[in-house]
Amino acid sequence: MHVTDEIFNQASQLAGHDVSADAALMEGIEREGAGWASGELRRLGTLAGSERAQEWGRLANEHPPVLRTHDRYGNRIDEVEYHPAWHELMTVAVENGLHAAPWNAGRPGAHVARAAKFYVWSQVEAGHGCPISMTYAAVAALRHSPELAAEWEPLLAAPAYDPGLRPPAGKRGLLAGMAMTEKQGGSDVRAGTTRAKPLGSGRYALTGHKWFNSAPMCDLFLVLAQAEEGLSCFLLPRVLPDGTRNAMRLMRLKDKLGNRSNASAEVEYEGAVAWLVGEAGGGVRTILEMVNMTRLDCVIGSAAGMRAGVVQAVHHAGHRSAFGRRLADQPLMRNVLADLALESEAATTLMTRLAGATDRALGGDRAEAAFRRTAVAVAKYWVCRRAPAHAAEAMECLGGNGYVEESQMPRLFRESPLNGIWEGSGNVAALDVLRALSREPEAREAFTAEVALAKGADRRLDAAAERLHGSLAALAGHTADEAAFGARRIAEEMALVLCGSLLVRLAPPAVADAFCASRLDGDGGRAFGTLPPGPDLDTLIGRALPT
């Protein structure tokens, strides 16, 4: 070996750890009624931290899906080929119930357990979470048509990953996708031009296009189209009951910034057969509950990305030295790491609270349903907004080593903006917060009541809550345009106060103190690494250490 071949002062690969060994996560699932799933979560976390799983994530992204529109003889097939690593990731996700399994679990905390698993397994690779999330959310829409739900829900919840285009009824398990947006409309789904012509017996023929159809190899799709009564929701299978392929044409796959393992297609319908879901003309109402589910997954996915980033940063800093000291012992680096850990823990604590609210709301708890209505939109706006800056800072902790693909940090960075765009961009989410505040008094009251649970515990939180109260009261005197102009400020203020209340009540004092000082009391900067003097950095960083 040449002397220049000696390698030292390089961090080892982070592998062989338990991804679920996350204090904020495990405390959260216990608190929210899913402590019974801790053993399952530990097993999944151990697999997630293994070299084998990490290699699946790498391969699935380095070998993105390929569209095959025709077979060798010229027959139209409209299939997407995935690398075997994709199928490994999907198999683990489905067999561990990350898809629609909680809907049929019949056990309190099932949606919390599923959220925790989604959070852990997403840290291996985020792209395959798209069809998993859509399958989870689709059940909420299908239940608007009990006959369709009775037919398809058992297969959507089945713990069997069964890829390939075959008649759905003959498969061991199904996946569901969505197709909502069009070229001219984007988030304005009411501007869609896809037409639905009635065929009788609840069947329609759909003609038109969709600009984004993620995971086009799913078995079923929820599609919005214009019926005579107005915008409606339909269930469209890739393969019809008689075995013929539905007239859904895959035109091309999107060349995306991130999410490379997952195919997103532009599709056209040429009289594709679909079944009406819910009431004709009630398409938006039908998909609202589904949107709440996918928005929750956006929050979970962004929280997972933050956790993955800070764990990599803390690991690297603990095994790399510069200027005579480990990076982890350098005062400024400690500030950065602690600040990243604080942001991650706030997101995880908020995520588990929302998962608990979802579980109880679906069980009939009206107060939790009201809280969830506003809080999910607030979290969707804020947590997903913070993810890109968090990923960039975590990558910078690794220096040049973090800028190369082998570190996994570039993939994490490219993925980070996605959840802020999917299921409504930041503006859409912030405006939805305003809509809930103005139209649903019970949602506003439930949010305020949640924040008030920490009243008197921290003067900085109390002051921030009082400022928020004033901001919300002032909305009554604003025109619609004035309120919309400040929607992001309102959503941000609500998110910070809600996180502060949760951390003051539920997190270790060191975490709550650092959050209130830096996020609520103005004693912190705009960049990560600007915590004020005083916080217990050892506790903050220690809770981010991989084990």
Side-chain angles (χ1 to χ4, degrees):
M1 176 182 289
H2 298 292
V3 67
T4 55
D5 291 334
E6 184 181 357
I7 299 171
F8 61 96
N9 197 29
Q10 286 279 10
S12 60
Q13 178 185 356
L14 177 56
H17 62 297
D18 178 1
V19 175
S20 74
D22 175 340
L25 175 69
M26 300 307 287
E27 292 163 8
I29 67 165
E30 189 71 38
R31 191 169 55 241
E32 299 297 339
W36 51 265
S38 61
E40 301 171 20
L41 194 58
R42 292 290 191 195
R43 287 190 290 274
L44 184 62
T46 300
L47 177 59
S50 69
E51 289 189 39
R52 178 172 56 137
Q54 291 182 25
E55 183 68 357
W56 291 340
R58 183 187 71 81
L59 290 171
N61 281 271
E62 290 200 2
H63 302 278
V66 176
L67 173 61
R68 306 293 187 197
T69 56
H70 296 77
D71 67 14
R72 60 183 292 193
Y73 304 107
N75 299 305
R76 187 96 197 197
I77 58 173
D78 294 294
E79 294 189 8
V80 178
E81 292 181 357
Y82 295 88
H83 190 273
W86 166 272
H87 297 296
E88 296 283 3
L89 293 164
M90 291 292 294
T91 297
V92 172
V94 171
E95 291 182 351
N96 281 272
L98 277 64
H99 59 325
W103 296 97
N104 289 342
R107 184 174 190 177
H111 290 270
V112 179
R114 181 261 168 194
K117 292 177 181 179
F118 190 76
Y119 170 93
V120 165
W121 193 240
S122 293
Q123 293 180 51
V124 176
E125 199 284 320
H128 79 287
C130 181
I132 295 298
S133 177
M134 292 189 295
T135 302
Y136 172 61
V139 173
L142 276 180
R143 289 189 172 183
H144 285 264
S145 290
E147 290 184 5
L148 290 176
E151 181 178 3
W152 299 117
E153 196 173 311
L155 285 169
L156 290 170
Y161 175 57
D162 192 0
L165 296 183
R166 300 188 302 280
K171 299 185 72 173
R172 295 179 297 118
L174 301 178
L175 296 174
M178 303 176 194
M180 307 293 174
T181 61
E182 299 184 3
K183 297 182 184 76
Q184 73 287 346
S187 295
D188 184 7
V189 294
R190 294 183 188 275
T193 60
T194 298
R195 311 303 301 182
K197 179 181 178 181
L199 299 174
S201 302
R203 296 187 310 138
Y204 287 73
L206 271 54
T207 302
H209 83 281
K210 294 298 173 182
W211 192 229
F212 269 93
N213 189 128
S214 282
M217 287 299 285
C218 286
D219 302 288
L220 309 168
F221 293 89
L222 290 167
V223 181
L224 289 178
Q226 301 286 356
E228 293 178 359
E229 299 85 353
L231 190 68
S232 305
C233 183
F234 298 90
L235 182 69
L236 187 152
R238 281 296 312 269
V239 180
L240 296 171
D242 64 3
T244 59
R245 296 198 175 186
N246 213 348
M248 172 180 162
R249 311 302 183 205
L250 308 187
M251 307 310 291
R252 65 171 177 168
L253 300 185
K254 299 289 192 181
D255 186 7
K256 298 173 293 184
L257 168 67
N259 205 247
R260 307 284 294 183
S261 66
N262 176 45
S264 296
E266 297 169 20
V267 303
E268 291 187 359
Y269 308 116
E270 301 175 358
V273 178
W275 280 258
L276 179 66
V277 180
E279 295 181 1
V284 173
R285 290 193 302 275
T286 300
I287 66 169
L288 276 180
E289 184 61 25
M290 180 182 67
V291 168
N292 259 334
M293 293 298 176
T294 50
R295 284 185 173 179
L296 173 60
D297 275 5
C298 288
V299 177
I300 298 171
S302 291
M306 289 185 189
R307 174 67 183 181
V310 72
V311 166
Q312 289 283 353
V314 169
H315 173 75
H316 178 84
H319 294 81
R320 177 87 162 174
S321 296
F323 309 110
R325 280 197 286 183
R326 289 189 317 152
L327 292 178
D329 297 327
Q330 307 272 2
L332 186 52
M333 179 59 81
R334 284 169 55 77
N335 195 323
V336 172
L337 295 174
D339 212 356
L340 290 172
L342 178 61
E343 192 74 20
S344 171
E345 179 146 352
T348 301
T349 303
L350 177 56
M351 174 274 288
T352 54
R353 175 65 183 94
L354 294 178
T358 296
D359 197 84
R360 290 184 284 276
L362 294 172
D365 189 322
R366 297 181 63 181
E368 288 288 74
F371 167 69
R372 173 173 166 257
R373 171 65 185 92
T374 304
V376 168
V378 166
K380 166 68 167 71
Y381 170 77
W382 182 246
V383 175
C384 299
R385 180 73 43 235
R386 296 288 281 174
H390 192 279
E393 195 69 61
M395 180 167 60
E396 189 174 322
C397 289
L398 277 68
N401 287 338
Y403 200 67
V404 297
E405 288 294 335
E406 289 90 340
S407 73
Q408 303 180 24
M409 301 304 282
R411 170 156 47 102
L412 188 68
F413 180 68
R414 288 193 300 271
E415 191 74 23
S416 62
L418 174 63
N419 289 317
I421 298 170
W422 193 42
E423 292 303 344
S425 63
N427 284 354
V428 172
L431 291 171
D432 193 36
V433 171
L434 286 190
R435 191 175 301 110
L437 291 173
S438 63
R439 298 182 184 179
E440 303 177 43
E442 66 279 7
R444 179 171 177 167
E445 291 167 6
F447 185 92
T448 302
E450 178 74 20
V451 169
L453 292 174
K455 187 174 182 179
D458 188 287
R459 60 168 182 78
R460 298 161 298 188
L461 174 61
D462 288 345
E466 189 62 31
R467 291 194 298 272
L468 174 60
H469 178 75
S471 298
L472 296 179
L475 289 174
H478 290 171
T479 66
D481 283 354
E482 288 170 341
F485 183 82
R488 285 188 174 220
R489 292 176 64 92
I490 290 290
E492 177 177 327
E493 200 172 352
M494 292 176 72
L496 290 173
V497 170
L498 176 58
C499 285
S501 175
L502 291 172
L503 294 176
V504 164
R505 287 182 282 135
L506 308 173
V511 176
D513 176 63
F515 188 91
C516 290
S518 60
R519 271 69 166 170
L520 299 180
D521 202 33
D523 197 3
R526 296 177 183 269
F528 289 107
T530 55
L531 291 176
D536 178 359
L537 302 188
D538 287 337
T539 295
L540 292 171
I541 297 171
R543 286 170 69 84
L545 281 172
T547 59

